[in-house]
């Protein structure tokens, strides 16, 4: 808390350069909100900045807290990231576990699972369909396409985080991979 973030950003950029030069294949950054005392850059703008340094590497959020986000924005930002990485984006998604994040954004914590499930469904429709029709519990999209589709057919792989058996089963059902906790 209170640290000057300019040198921290320069350090992150240098870490990516060294990682790439050392032959590492991927780069992922996390997401949290109201994370005091930790100061944390938001994942998507940070990844957009680091993409230039990470050319040729797989790149993505590890992970986005999907229930707290609008899936239309997530789909379009991730499609953009896929273009910025030459079709090498991976999108990590999670439910979130910090109640204070939900409270401060105004999303009921008890809605996190159904919001996640509907969000994944809508993101995939936006990446796949020429015209999207979606009337869900939380989101409605009627007769419009996404602004752009990702270069990866069907969109970047979706990896779902989770530590309990039900989450792993949900990842197997909804996503392309289970994202194990570090």
């Amino acid at each position: 808390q209170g640290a000057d973030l300019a040198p921290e950003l320069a350090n992150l950029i240098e870490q990516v350069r060294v990682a790439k030069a050392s032959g590492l294949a991927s780069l992922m950054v996390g997401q949290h909100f109201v994370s005091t005392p930790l100061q944390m850059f938001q994942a998507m703008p940070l990844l957009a900045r680091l993409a230039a340094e990470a050319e040729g590497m797989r790149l993505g959020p590890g992970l986005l807290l999907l229930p707290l986000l609008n899936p239309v924005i997530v789909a379009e930002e991730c499609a953009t990231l896929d273009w910025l990485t030459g079709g090498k984006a991976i999108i990590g998604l999670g439910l979130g576990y910090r109640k204070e994040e939900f409270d401060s954004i105004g999303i009921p914590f008890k809605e996190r699972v159904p919001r996640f499930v509907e969000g994944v469904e809508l993101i995939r429709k936006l990446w796949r369909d020429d015209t999207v029709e979606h009337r869900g519990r939380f989101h409605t999209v009627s007769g419009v396409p996404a602004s752009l589709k990702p270069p990866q057919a069907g969109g970047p792989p979706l990896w779902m985080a989770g530590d309990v058996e039900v989450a792993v089963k949900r990842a197997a059902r909804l996503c392309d991979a289970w994202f194990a906790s570090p």
Side-chain angles (χ1 to χ4, degrees):
Q1 188 170 6
D4 180 1
L5 295 181
E8 297 302 325
L9 180 58
N11 184 41
L12 285 171
I13 292 166
E14 183 59 23
Q15 285 180 40
V16 172
R17 289 177 182 151
V18 170
K20 180 181 172 187
S22 299
L24 293 177
S26 63
L27 165 70
M28 300 187 98
V29 301
Q31 179 178 64
H32 278 293
F33 301 100
V34 293
S35 56
T36 300
L38 176 67
Q39 296 180 93
M40 190 168 193
F41 292 115
Q42 282 302 306
M44 296 307 282
L46 180 59
L47 287 165
R49 170 59 185 92
L50 297 177
E53 310 301 331
E55 188 175 353
M57 297 175 77
R58 304 275 319 187
L59 188 96
L63 47 88
L64 295 177
L65 301 173
L66 185 58
L68 296 173
L69 305 171
N70 183 305
V72 173
I73 295 170
V74 171
E76 296 215 3
E77 286 185 350
C78 291
T80 300
L81 183 65
D82 203 34
W83 280 102
L84 293 176
T85 62
K88 292 185 174 288
I90 299 169
I91 311 305
L93 302 172
L95 292 175
Y97 60 90
R98 297 177 62 240
K99 192 167 181 319
E100 59 269 26
E101 291 175 302
F102 286 82
D103 291 345
S104 54
I105 293 175
I107 302 288
F109 189 77
K110 68 182 182 193
E111 293 178 355
R112 65 193 189 127
V113 172
R115 283 180 176 276
F116 183 91
V117 171
E118 184 177 332
V120 169
E121 177 185 343
L122 181 51
I123 289 167
R124 290 200 188 274
K125 285 180 182 179
L126 287 159
W127 286 347
R128 178 190 66 225
D129 299 347
D130 292 330
T131 302
V132 177
E133 290 292 340
H134 179 87
R135 285 178 183 34
R137 179 175 164 195
F138 305 105
H139 305 284
T140 299
V141 176
S142 185
V144 295
S147 295
L148 77 158
K149 301 226 183 293
Q152 293 184 72
L158 297 177
W159 293 6
M160 184 190 165
D163 293 330
V164 296
E165 184 176 347
V166 68
V168 176
K169 288 179 178 179
R170 187 178 303 117
R173 194 173 64 253
L174 299 174
C175 294
D176 301 303
W178 170 52
F179 197 163
S181 293

